Amino acid sequence: MPMIPNTSGKFIVLEGLEGSGKSTQAKILAESLPNSHLTHEPSDSIPGSLCREIISGKGNITQSSLSLLLIADRIEHLNNYITPILKSGQNIICDRYYLSNMAYQASMSLSDKDIYELNKKFGAISPDLTIFLEVTPQEAMERVNLRKGQEGIFDNLKALERIDINYRQAIDFLISKGEKIVKIQAVNNIDDIAKEILHRISVAFSFHA
């Protein structure tokens, strides 16, 4: 198994549209990299649980309000889970982080830049690497339609098209801020995508997978 040769833990985030396969790939990655812990956002904190209910359609608040609630969850997640593990020298594999926040909640009242700056104001750290799994909104919608009983407020083509555009803009913005983000086509089989993710990590952190 590949090992990241560094005494400090690495913070690796997987991102993508609904149906991109990021949760599956995050799990595979956490099992492939030694000393790695898998987590997700929204987290299991009190604000995170509330966020999940709202996203699943059990509630009705503005996207700006949801964004602030997600930031509150993120700070709890960082303080109580992510940061202590990283400081111990172990790795974090996170399914979604503030790039999702920027892509999903950006609106006329709160831009992706506003969301980024609010995250930073309240202490959100930058990932060491973000991996964005690329699928088209149409492909994502086809995969979402295969799920049963898991529909949420973003599980429609119009929303996914808007989010896809926001993702592209937010990625460019974060790269301009010096963040390391790689894009991987998520249309191949699961094993091939997992191998590509490990290869990109080996390049990013200069080790042999």
Side-chain angles (χ1 to χ4, degrees):
M1 288 185 179
M3 177 78 75
I4 297 175
N6 196 314
T7 55
S8 61
K10 295 300 183 185
F11 183 20
I12 301 171
V13 174
L14 271 74
E15 289 279 0
L17 292 172
E18 303 298 318
S20 63
K22 60 175 181 46
S23 297
T24 297
Q25 292 299 333
K27 183 175 184 294
I28 293 171
L29 180 59
E31 293 171 349
S32 301
L33 287 179
N35 302 319
S36 294
H37 296 260
L38 176 63
T39 190
H40 55 82
E41 291 197 352
S43 76
D44 296 325
S45 73
I46 292 173
S49 298
L50 182 56
C51 287
R52 286 199 303 277
E53 286 194 11
I54 293 166
I55 291 168
S56 69
K58 300 174 184 176
N60 185 22
I61 65 174
T62 67
Q63 288 303 304
S64 295
S65 295
L66 177 57
S67 184
L68 296 173
L69 193 58
L70 285 162
I71 292 170
D73 170 50
R74 184 162 299 115
I75 302 311
E76 290 295 308
H77 196 198
L78 283 163
N79 290 339
N80 297 324
Y81 189 79
I82 293 174
T83 302
I85 288 175
L86 293 174
K87 286 183 176 179
S88 76
Q90 299 179 82
N91 307 308
I92 286 285
I93 311 300
C94 193
D95 179 352
R96 297 201 182 283
Y97 192 56
Y98 60 55
L99 176 54
S100 278
N101 200 177
M102 296 167 71
Y104 278 73
Q105 278 72 53
S107 62
M108 292 181 66
S109 59
L110 200 63
S111 70
D112 57 355
K113 181 180 178 181
D114 293 330
I115 294 169
Y116 172 81
E117 291 178 347
L118 282 167
N119 272 277
K120 289 300 181 179
K121 181 177 181 178
F122 288 102
I125 63 173
S126 297
D128 293 298
L129 177 67
T130 298
I131 296 168
F132 179 68
L133 298 181
E134 292 189 288
V135 294
T136 67
Q138 292 76 19
E139 289 168 333
M141 195 67 244
E142 288 177 6
R143 296 180 185 185
V144 167
N145 286 336
L146 295 176
R147 300 174 181 172
K148 293 183 178 180
Q150 299 183 35
E151 293 81 7
I153 61 175
F154 302 113
D155 294 342
N156 62 83
L157 184 58
K158 184 176 180 180
L160 291 174
E161 287 174 340
R162 173 185 64 82
I163 293 162
D164 186 57
I165 292 170
N166 288 349
Y167 255 130
R168 308 295 169 173
Q169 295 173 343
I171 287 170
D172 288 344
F173 175 80
L174 291 178
I175 289 174
S176 77
K177 292 292 184 179
E179 296 205 8
K180 189 178 293 185
I181 301 175
V182 298
K183 300 175 183 178
I184 293 177
Q185 287 290 324
V187 294
N188 296 322
N189 67 58
I190 291 173
D191 290 341
D192 287 343
I193 296 168
K195 289 176 183 177
E196 179 66 13
I197 289 172
L198 278 176
H199 171 69
R200 295 299 189 95
I201 290 173
S202 72
V203 171
F205 299 124
S206 301
F207 75 97
H208 296 294

Short mmCIF file of all heavy atoms in Angstrom, two decimals, residues 18-47:
data_model
loop_
_atom_site.label_atom_id
_atom_site.label_comp_id
_atom_site.label_asym_id
_atom_site.label_seq_id
_atom_site.Cartn_x
_atom_site.Cartn_y
_atom_site.Cartn_z
N GLU A 18 -23.57 15.55 -7.17
CA GLU A 18 -24.29 14.37 -6.73
C GLU A 18 -24.14 13.29 -7.81
O GLU A 18 -24.27 13.57 -9.00
CB GLU A 18 -25.78 14.68 -6.54
CG GLU A 18 -26.08 15.82 -5.58
CD GLU A 18 -25.62 15.53 -4.18
OE1 GLU A 18 -25.81 14.39 -3.71
OE2 GLU A 18 -25.06 16.44 -3.54
N GLY A 19 -23.86 12.07 -7.40
CA GLY A 19 -23.73 10.99 -8.38
C GLY A 19 -22.36 10.88 -9.02
O GLY A 19 -22.17 10.03 -9.90
N SER A 20 -21.40 11.69 -8.60
CA SER A 20 -20.07 11.64 -9.20
C SER A 20 -19.25 10.45 -8.71
O SER A 20 -18.21 10.13 -9.29
CB SER A 20 -19.30 12.94 -8.92
OG SER A 20 -19.09 13.11 -7.53
N GLY A 21 -19.70 9.83 -7.62
CA GLY A 21 -18.97 8.69 -7.08
C GLY A 21 -17.95 9.06 -6.02
O GLY A 21 -17.17 8.21 -5.57
N LYS A 22 -17.98 10.30 -5.56
CA LYS A 22 -16.96 10.76 -4.60
C LYS A 22 -17.03 10.03 -3.27
O LYS A 22 -15.99 9.76 -2.67
CB LYS A 22 -17.04 12.26 -4.38
CG LYS A 22 -18.37 12.64 -3.84
CD LYS A 22 -18.48 14.10 -3.48
CE LYS A 22 -19.86 14.31 -2.92
NZ LYS A 22 -20.29 13.31 -1.94
N SER A 23 -18.22 9.70 -2.78
CA SER A 23 -18.31 9.00 -1.50
C SER A 23 -17.70 7.60 -1.60
O SER A 23 -16.99 7.15 -0.68
CB SER A 23 -19.77 8.90 -1.05
OG SER A 23 -20.31 10.20 -0.82
N THR A 24 -17.96 6.92 -2.70
CA THR A 24 -17.36 5.60 -2.94
C THR A 24 -15.85 5.71 -3.01
O THR A 24 -15.11 4.92 -2.40
CB THR A 24 -17.91 4.99 -4.24
OG1 THR A 24 -19.31 4.79 -4.11
CG2 THR A 24 -17.22 3.67 -4.56
N GLN A 25 -15.36 6.70 -3.76
CA GLN A 25 -13.92 6.86 -3.93
C GLN A 25 -13.24 7.32 -2.64
O GLN A 25 -12.10 6.94 -2.36
CB GLN A 25 -13.62 7.84 -5.07
CG GLN A 25 -14.00 7.32 -6.44
CD GLN A 25 -13.25 6.05 -6.83
OE1 GLN A 25 -12.13 5.81 -6.36
NE2 GLN A 25 -13.84 5.25 -7.70
N ALA A 26 -13.93 8.13 -1.85
CA ALA A 26 -13.37 8.56 -0.57
C ALA A 26 -13.16 7.35 0.35
O ALA A 26 -12.13 7.24 1.03
CB ALA A 26 -14.28 9.58 0.10
N LYS A 27 -14.12 6.44 0.34
CA LYS A 27 -14.02 5.23 1.17
C LYS A 27 -12.87 4.35 0.69
O LYS A 27 -12.08 3.84 1.51
CB LYS A 27 -15.33 4.46 1.11
CG LYS A 27 -15.39 3.21 2.00
CD LYS A 27 -16.78 2.59 1.95
CE LYS A 27 -16.89 1.41 2.91
NZ LYS A 27 -16.04 0.28 2.51
N ILE A 28 -12.75 4.16 -0.62
CA ILE A 28 -11.66 3.35 -1.17
C ILE A 28 -10.31 3.98 -0.83
O ILE A 28 -9.36 3.28 -0.43
CB ILE A 28 -11.81 3.21 -2.69
CG1 ILE A 28 -13.05 2.38 -3.04
CG2 ILE A 28 -10.56 2.57 -3.31
CD1 ILE A 28 -13.39 2.37 -4.52
N LEU A 29 -10.22 5.29 -0.95
CA LEU A 29 -8.96 5.98 -0.68
C LEU A 29 -8.56 5.85 0.78
O LEU A 29 -7.39 5.60 1.10
CB LEU A 29 -9.08 7.45 -1.07
CG LEU A 29 -7.84 8.32 -0.84
CD1 LEU A 29 -6.65 7.77 -1.62
CD2 LEU A 29 -8.13 9.77 -1.24
N ALA A 30 -9.52 6.01 1.67
CA ALA A 30 -9.23 5.90 3.10
C ALA A 30 -8.74 4.50 3.46
O ALA A 30 -7.92 4.33 4.36
CB ALA A 30 -10.47 6.26 3.92
N GLU A 31 -9.23 3.50 2.73
CA GLU A 31 -8.80 2.12 2.97
C GLU A 31 -7.45 1.84 2.32
O GLU A 31 -6.74 0.91 2.73
CB GLU A 31 -9.85 1.15 2.43
CG GLU A 31 -11.17 1.20 3.20
CD GLU A 31 -12.27 0.40 2.53
OE1 GLU A 31 -12.08 -0.02 1.36
OE2 GLU A 31 -13.33 0.19 3.16
N SER A 32 -7.06 2.64 1.32
CA SER A 32 -5.83 2.41 0.58
C SER A 32 -4.63 3.11 1.19
O SER A 32 -3.50 2.62 1.09
CB SER A 32 -5.98 2.87 -0.88
OG SER A 32 -7.02 2.19 -1.52
N LEU A 33 -4.85 4.27 1.80
CA LEU A 33 -3.76 5.03 2.41
C LEU A 33 -3.66 4.70 3.89
O LEU A 33 -4.60 4.95 4.64
CB LEU A 33 -3.98 6.54 2.23
CG LEU A 33 -3.78 7.13 0.85
CD1 LEU A 33 -4.07 8.63 0.88
CD2 LEU A 33 -2.36 6.89 0.35
N PRO A 34 -2.52 4.17 4.33
CA PRO A 34 -2.37 3.88 5.76
C PRO A 34 -2.53 5.13 6.62
O PRO A 34 -2.29 6.25 6.17
CB PRO A 34 -0.93 3.34 5.84
CG PRO A 34 -0.62 2.85 4.48
CD PRO A 34 -1.35 3.77 3.55
N ASN A 35 -2.94 4.91 7.85
CA ASN A 35 -3.09 6.00 8.82
C ASN A 35 -4.06 7.07 8.33
O ASN A 35 -3.83 8.27 8.53
CB ASN A 35 -1.73 6.64 9.14
CG ASN A 35 -0.73 5.63 9.67
OD1 ASN A 35 -1.09 4.78 10.48
ND2 ASN A 35 0.50 5.70 9.20
N SER A 36 -5.14 6.64 7.70
CA SER A 36 -6.11 7.59 7.16
C SER A 36 -7.48 7.39 7.81
O SER A 36 -7.88 6.26 8.09
CB SER A 36 -6.23 7.42 5.64
OG SER A 36 -5.03 7.80 5.00
N HIS A 37 -8.16 8.49 8.01
CA HIS A 37 -9.49 8.48 8.61
C HIS A 37 -10.48 9.11 7.63
O HIS A 37 -10.23 10.19 7.10
CB HIS A 37 -9.50 9.28 9.92
CG HIS A 37 -8.62 8.69 10.97
ND1 HIS A 37 -9.10 7.90 12.01
CD2 HIS A 37 -7.27 8.75 11.15
CE1 HIS A 37 -8.10 7.53 12.77
NE2 HIS A 37 -6.98 8.02 12.27
N LEU A 38 -11.60 8.44 7.42
CA LEU A 38 -12.63 8.93 6.52
C LEU A 38 -13.66 9.75 7.30
O LEU A 38 -14.12 9.33 8.36
CB LEU A 38 -13.32 7.75 5.84
CG LEU A 38 -14.51 8.06 4.93
CD1 LEU A 38 -14.08 8.91 3.74
CD2 LEU A 38 -15.18 6.77 4.47
N THR A 39 -14.00 10.91 6.75
CA THR A 39 -15.06 11.72 7.35
C THR A 39 -15.85 12.39 6.23
O THR A 39 -15.56 12.19 5.05
CB THR A 39 -14.49 12.74 8.34
OG1 THR A 39 -15.56 13.35 9.07
CG2 THR A 39 -13.66 13.81 7.65
N HIS A 40 -16.86 13.16 6.59
CA HIS A 40 -17.73 13.74 5.58
C HIS A 40 -18.33 15.04 6.10
O HIS A 40 -18.35 15.31 7.31
CB HIS A 40 -18.86 12.76 5.23
CG HIS A 40 -19.66 12.33 6.43
ND1 HIS A 40 -20.69 13.07 6.96
CD2 HIS A 40 -19.57 11.22 7.21
CE1 HIS A 40 -21.19 12.45 8.01
NE2 HIS A 40 -20.53 11.32 8.19
N GLU A 41 -18.80 15.86 5.16
CA GLU A 41 -19.57 17.06 5.50
C GLU A 41 -20.85 17.07 4.67
O GLU A 41 -20.81 16.69 3.49
CB GLU A 41 -18.74 18.32 5.24
CG GLU A 41 -17.59 18.45 6.22
CD GLU A 41 -17.00 19.84 6.29
OE1 GLU A 41 -17.37 20.72 5.47
OE2 GLU A 41 -16.17 20.07 7.18
N PRO A 42 -21.96 17.49 5.30
CA PRO A 42 -22.10 17.86 6.69
C PRO A 42 -21.66 16.72 7.62
O PRO A 42 -21.80 15.55 7.28
CB PRO A 42 -23.58 18.15 6.86
CG PRO A 42 -24.08 18.46 5.47
CD PRO A 42 -23.26 17.59 4.58
N SER A 43 -21.12 17.12 8.80
CA SER A 43 -20.62 16.13 9.74
C SER A 43 -21.74 15.64 10.64
O SER A 43 -22.92 15.91 10.40
CB SER A 43 -19.50 16.75 10.57
OG SER A 43 -20.03 17.61 11.56
N ASP A 44 -21.36 14.94 11.69
CA ASP A 44 -22.35 14.40 12.62
C ASP A 44 -22.60 15.33 13.81
O ASP A 44 -23.22 14.92 14.79
CB ASP A 44 -21.90 13.02 13.13
CG ASP A 44 -21.83 12.00 12.01
OD1 ASP A 44 -22.67 12.07 11.09
OD2 ASP A 44 -20.92 11.14 12.03
N SER A 45 -22.13 16.57 13.71
CA SER A 45 -22.37 17.53 14.78
C SER A 45 -23.84 17.95 14.79
O SER A 45 -24.61 17.61 13.87
CB SER A 45 -21.50 18.78 14.59
OG SER A 45 -21.98 19.56 13.51
N ILE A 46 -24.24 18.71 15.80
CA ILE A 46 -25.63 19.19 15.87
C ILE A 46 -25.96 20.06 14.65
O ILE A 46 -26.97 19.81 13.97
CB ILE A 46 -25.88 19.94 17.19
CG1 ILE A 46 -25.83 18.95 18.36
CG2 ILE A 46 -27.24 20.64 17.16
CD1 ILE A 46 -25.90 19.60 19.72
N PRO A 47 -25.13 21.07 14.30
CA PRO A 47 -25.46 21.84 13.08
C PRO A 47 -25.37 20.99 11.81
O PRO A 47 -26.14 21.20 10.87
CB PRO A 47 -24.43 22.98 13.07
CG PRO A 47 -23.37 22.57 14.02
CD PRO A 47 -24.00 21.69 15.03
#
